[in-house]
Amino acid sequence: MNKQTTHHHPVEIGSLAFSGLEELLVSSGLKEARKFILVDENSLQYCFPVLVSQIEALRQAELIEIESGEHNKNITICTHIWEALSDMQTDRQALFINLGGGVISDMGGFIASTYKRGIRFINIPTTLLSQVDASVGAKVGIDLNGLKNQIGLFAEPLAVFIDPVFLSTLPTRELLSGFAEVIKHALIADKSYWELILNSHPLGNADWEPIIQKSVAIKQSIVEADPTEKGFRKVLNFGHTIGHAVESLSLEGGRTPLTHGESVAIGMICESYLSERKRKMNKEELSSISTLITSLYEHRVFEDMDTHRLIELMKNDKKNKDDSISFTLLDGIGKPVHDLSCTADEISDSFRYYHSLYR
């Protein structure tokens, strides 16, 4: 088991992570606390039985179930849960445990950190995406009118416990969604990690524990350098200015929803193109990034009208300042630069480049 500690909370990774969880739950500060576990239908079916079979202290916890999917990460669902907690006369000594993927981590943390001005919460991420990204970093929040994470705050969990055992329950699409964030971590932080990623196919027999450890370490080091995203932490947004817009567009009426990772994969291709065009990334690195991503993720078609709508969505991104659309780009693999702006024409060109790769 690997234990990594931020300034405020531990992150335990590995097959023995649950032993640390059990020790925490029977500690003097939590032994008598009322415990709630937030799940969706997937984590209830596949992960909850594993958890309670190993942690006796959670067998009497009260379950709160929501439906899976980004479209459920909204204020209406939060209100239902706040009302349920209030109806059960839940006090401020309670413990809220988030068992699931990124939606559960984001929304569960938001619910806990706002109920009665904050109750303690623990993250137990069960998807690759939440294990390498959503469960660490102390960001919690929900979507508003289809726009990603428009309402939220910075709130530290009591602890995070990551066990790769849950990854065996994931369908291929969910593994690929999480792998996009692994790719991002390598691109923004470590060229040697990028070389490892090139040889770690997520659909093969990947050794997930060292990958999770490395990605979590990268994210934690960035977060600790800039906890509230005043500057350097923005490098974590590589691929996300375009990616979040793509994800939001896919949730609009009549479309096929994309996963977060599928959307970020598109964003990383487009933003790598912008990095080569506007910054110092060379064509060989652009080609390497594009080749890997197109080998893993299916082509998604965007018409000209879609591109206009995507740019509108990007203008609503919370990272923007004044009227410009803010990007993190790369001067090369492992060399991110934040707070850069791109024009609508440049963004449109990046989508043309993306489409050209699949012809």
Side-chain angles (χ1 to χ4, degrees), residues 170-300:
L170 295 182
T172 296
R173 192 179 183 198
E174 284 301 321
L175 277 175
L176 285 173
S177 182
F179 199 65
E181 291 289 350
V182 172
I183 293 170
K184 181 201 76 177
H185 290 144
L187 291 176
I188 65 171
D190 191 333
K191 193 165 186 177
S192 63
Y193 188 35
W194 169 249
E195 298 297 331
L196 173 65
I197 295 308
L198 287 175
N199 297 302
S200 301
H201 199 290
L203 305 185
N205 296 316
D207 185 0
W208 287 117
E209 190 169 327
I211 291 173
I212 294 167
Q213 289 174 4
K214 182 65 174 177
S215 276
V216 168
I218 287 171
K219 182 163 186 180
Q220 284 185 313
S221 67
I222 292 170
V223 168
E224 290 187 4
D226 180 17
T228 56
E229 202 171 42
K230 301 299 184 185
F232 181 60
R233 182 170 173 159
K234 295 177 184 179
V235 302
L236 288 167
N237 295 321
F238 175 68
H240 284 61
T241 299
I242 288 175
H244 275 166
V246 167
E247 188 175 2
S248 294
L249 179 69
S250 79
L251 295 173
E252 294 184 350
R255 299 178 184 270
T256 301
L258 299 181
T259 67
H260 177 73
E262 289 166 346
S263 304
V264 169
I266 294 168
M268 286 191 292
I269 288 178
C270 292
E271 293 178 27
S272 293
Y273 167 82
L274 293 169
S275 298
E276 191 273 335
R277 176 171 174 176
K278 294 176 65 68
R279 300 295 302 180
K280 301 174 184 177
M281 176 178 280
N282 60 52
K283 292 185 183 296
E284 290 75 18
E285 288 182 324
L286 173 61
S287 176
S288 177
I289 295 166
S290 301
T291 298
L292 176 63
I293 293 175
T294 55
S295 73
L296 296 173
Y297 301 90
E298 293 182 10
H299 182 215
R300 307 290 178 171

Side-chain angles (χ1 to χ4, degrees), residues 25 53 72 103 136 167 179 193 234 237 256 297 315 329:
L25 291 176
S53 71
N72 290 308
V103 170
V136 294
L167 301 185
F179 199 65
Y193 188 35
K234 295 177 184 179
N237 295 321
T256 301
Y297 301 90
K315 290 178 179 178
L329 300 179

